[in-house]
Amino acid sequence: MTVPDLYSAGIASGWNVVDAATLAAPLALDADVAIVGSGAGGGVAAEILSEAGLRVVLLEEGALRTSDSFRDMDEGRAYRELYQEGAARATADGAIAILQGRAVGGSTTVNWSSSFRTPPQTLAHWAAHHAVSGHAAADMAPWFARMEARLSVAPWGMAPNGNNGVLKRGCDKLGWESHVIPRNVKGCWNSGYCGLGCPVNAKQSMLVSTIPAALARGATLVHRVRVRAFAHDGKTVGALAGEALGADGRTPTGVAVTVRARHYVAAGGAINTPALLLRSRAPDPHQRLGLRTFIHPVNLSIAVMPEQVDPYYGAPQSVASDHFQWKDGATGAIGYKLEVPPLLPGISAGVFGSVGEALRADMAALPRTNAMLALLRDGFVPHSEGGRVRIAGDGSPVLDYDMNDYLWDGVRRAWLSMAEAQFAAGALRVRPAHLDAPYYADWASARAGIAALPLAKFRAALFSAHLMGGCGMSDEPRLGVVDSGGRHHQLNNLSVLDGSVFPTSIGANPQLSVFALSAQNAHGLAARLVR
């Protein structure tokens, strides 16, 4: 059974979709609103603003890839075409890998579909410590409900796959809290290849939901265009300047793309949006731009089980545990959420961190391998200030993110928790993703071994797919780049509607938080512009 490609039919019916790689002459567009970035923030904003009758231009650096190109479920193709820097993006020192989408739909096209509401503890912390208003749990509840209904978000109704089952079994055995993960899917085939683009349009990413809705209402989508800067006078943005990219999606063709609009929305995510504003030399009187960028630093634990787990099949994430998330409150020792990642063969080879015969043995055991991950909740205490986005000489974004004792303490405690859960679930052997760690045959050995592991970058495998902050919101200009409505404090016709406005990390997979907050703020923006 094949699923029709939404875009072939839509373009044939008159959708305004421009592939900048095909442009032979400069392109100039006028709009009510120009949106830079088509992911969770930009895609939601495009639908809401076009629904209000506003002329919307949506610009995306990545290419338009649709279900037709996802059907091979090929890892190499997907990482090359759908991820920032071919899935090789990392912190400036290369110590923390960063998985971030780069295609129409942004990271929603390639994420694993986990959809959590922002924890009320996080929302309360923002109000109390970052002068954020209008986003308390009661304020956000209708917006979460709205986006959950719009994107078919519901707890996963099928049994967990073997990989998630290990986490559930371990939590049950130890008496730890666990819960079913809500997912934004409709008619899911349970294949497990969400990270490579959904071949059957079941995942309700922006690619198949809000962006088609905006296009049907007259919005224009320009893809394979890199927005270099906003032109402004210090108070008002007058235009945005972009450059067309070639068929490779990376090499500029020399063709200029210019958009003039009444209002501009930056929605490129928590690395690209701060970089865009830095390139634009946006006013930053309090030196906040690019600071407090958070990533939920992630560490892993690998277990070989007696049974076949097949960690590459089935819904990638369907079980999570918050047992350690708020154990010491919001501002105590760093908390973490336990989940599992899918283990497709290509990415697994990197996760194992082994070579030669050891790697062959690890890959041979892949069908019986479980992995757990911990999302460390950074940003809630003074000694967890996150990282900093800056720009290189060519204007490309760079993320500095250091690991201090506070974070390393969380890494070690998370390894211990994951190993304990894996052994409780029946693991034959367990190994933290650390170059100096062997496989441990029992919980007592693991506990002693993990306690002695040196905590250092490049020895411990660290990564993130959750990018937050860098343009933090606060009603107090000295504390934030934008106000609680996403409006830039100095540029009166610029808003930021993406995860870069989060004052801290949130302590859960952030896509539903971005959906709801962007919907709330885009609705307010639409009302102001229509008036």
Side-chain angles (χ1 to χ4, degrees):
M1 175 182 176
T2 59
V3 174
D5 175 18
L6 295 173
Y7 285 82
S8 296
I11 292 169
S13 73
W15 287 0
N16 300 316
V17 177
V18 178
D19 181 354
T22 66
L23 294 174
L27 176 67
L29 297 170
D30 293 302
D32 291 316
V33 186
I35 302 173
V36 181
S38 66
V44 166
E47 179 177 42
I48 289 172
L49 295 167
S50 60
E51 275 180 346
L54 297 164
R55 294 173 301 137
V56 172
V57 172
L58 183 61
L59 302 112
E60 169 57 51
E61 185 175 277
L64 173 61
R65 305 290 185 187
T66 67
S67 56
D68 278 354
S69 65
F70 302 155
R71 289 181 187 136
D72 61 3
M73 297 192 290
D74 180 86
E75 275 191 272
R77 184 270 312 156
Y79 300 146
R80 186 171 60 251
E81 294 181 354
L82 302 177
Y83 286 80
Q84 293 284 352
E85 301 170 35
R89 176 164 276 188
T91 50
D93 58 8
I96 305 175
I98 303 290
L99 291 174
Q100 185 180 20
R102 185 181 184 271
V104 172
S107 293
T108 73
T109 298
V110 294
N111 68 22
W112 300 333
S113 78
S114 298
S115 303
F116 296 98
R117 294 188 176 195
T118 314
Q121 297 94 325
T122 299
L123 296 173
H125 183 86
W126 291 354
H129 297 276
H130 296 278
V132 170
S133 63
H135 303 312
D139 300 315
M140 294 305 301
W143 295 101
F144 288 130
R146 172 175 171 157
M147 296 313 299
E148 286 163 350
R150 173 67 183 92
L151 301 172
S152 301
V153 173
W156 182 234
M158 298 182 70
N161 70 355
N163 201 25
N164 285 270
V166 171
L167 175 56
K168 176 73 166 65
R169 198 160 64 244
C171 288
D172 288 349
K173 185 77 176 290
L174 296 167
W176 296 353
E177 182 276 340
S178 71
H179 52 276
V180 175
I181 293 177
R183 305 181 65 223
N184 60 316
V185 295
K186 182 166 60 177
C188 178
W189 288 24
N190 202 28
S191 70
Y193 279 65
C194 305
L196 311 185
C198 181
V200 296
N201 289 336
K203 179 166 55 176
Q204 298 302 289
S205 66
M206 304 299 93
L207 176 68
V208 304
S209 58
T210 59
I211 294 173
L215 291 170
R217 291 184 174 91
T220 297
L221 169 65
V222 185
H223 61 102
R224 284 199 275 215
V225 57
R226 178 177 293 141
V227 176
R228 296 297 301 175
F230 294 117
H232 62 87
D233 61 6
K235 295 182 179 179
T236 304
V237 178
L240 65 77
E243 56 190 6
L245 302 177
D248 64 0
R250 288 170 174 79
T251 307
T253 64
V255 176
V257 176
T258 306
V259 183
R260 297 184 182 278
R262 291 168 54 200
H263 200 90
Y264 299 82
V265 172
I271 291 180
N272 296 329
T273 289
L276 170 59
L277 298 188
L278 287 166
R279 288 196 302 270
S280 304
R281 299 187 179 183
D284 185 23
H286 303 288
Q287 300 297 296
R288 306 305 300 169
L289 183 55
L291 299 182
R292 293 187 62 82
T293 300
F294 302 104
I295 64 172
H296 282 158
V298 173
N299 63 327
L300 289 153
S301 182
I302 300 158
V304 177
M305 307 302 296
E307 76 278 9
Q308 194 152 327
V309 173
D310 292 338
Y312 29 75
Y313 292 141
Q317 292 186 320
S318 59
V319 175
S321 173
D322 281 326
H323 185 77
F324 299 96
Q325 183 65 278
W326 306 100
K327 223 173 175 55
D328 296 302
T331 56
I334 195 167
Y336 45 90
K337 189 182 194 78
L338 299 181
E339 297 176 343
V340 306
L343 292 178
L344 303 183
I347 203 166
S348 297
V351 165
F352 287 135
S354 49
V355 295
E357 288 300 329
L359 178 58
R360 275 190 282 272
D362 283 335
M363 293 303 293
L366 185 60
R368 295 187 294 119
T369 298
N370 158 263
M372 285 188 194
L373 61 80
L375 307 174
L376 300 180
R377 179 175 45 78
D378 50 342
F380 285 72
V381 298
H383 36 290
S384 180
E385 291 289 319
R388 174 195 174 204
V389 174
R390 54 187 173 85
I391 51 174
D394 63 355
S396 59
V398 178
L399 173 62
D400 297 312
Y401 193 98
D402 203 9
M403 296 288 293
N404 60 19
D405 290 344
Y406 178 79
L407 297 173
W408 283 122
D409 173 67
V411 168
R412 195 186 303 274
R413 287 186 292 108
W415 273 330
L416 289 166
S417 300
M418 291 185 283
E420 185 176 9
Q422 287 167 322
F423 279 118
L428 300 176
R429 56 186 184 273
V430 171
R431 176 169 65 87
H434 188 295
L435 292 183
D436 301 317
Y439 276 105
Y440 304 112
D442 54 65
W443 166 228
S445 301
R447 185 168 50 201
I450 291 169
L453 285 174
L455 298 175
K457 287 181 173 181
F458 302 106
R459 307 310 294 171
L462 300 170
F463 77 94
S464 179
H466 299 168
L467 305 170
M468 299 152 284
C471 292
M473 62 178 168
S474 174
D475 292 333
E476 181 61 58
R478 65 183 176 83
L479 298 178
V481 174
V482 299
D483 69 13
S484 297
R487 293 164 293 196
H488 195 274
H489 279 301
Q490 286 78 38
L491 296 171
N492 57 48
N493 64 339
L494 173 65
S495 296
V496 177
L497 300 178
D498 61 20
S500 70
V501 304
F502 294 171
T504 66
S505 72
I506 67 166
N509 308 54
Q511 80 159 344
L512 180 55
S513 295
V514 180
F515 292 154
L517 186 64
S518 298
Q520 182 190 31
N521 287 346
H523 185 79
L525 173 61
R528 292 193 300 275
L529 292 177
V530 168
R531 282 199 304 269

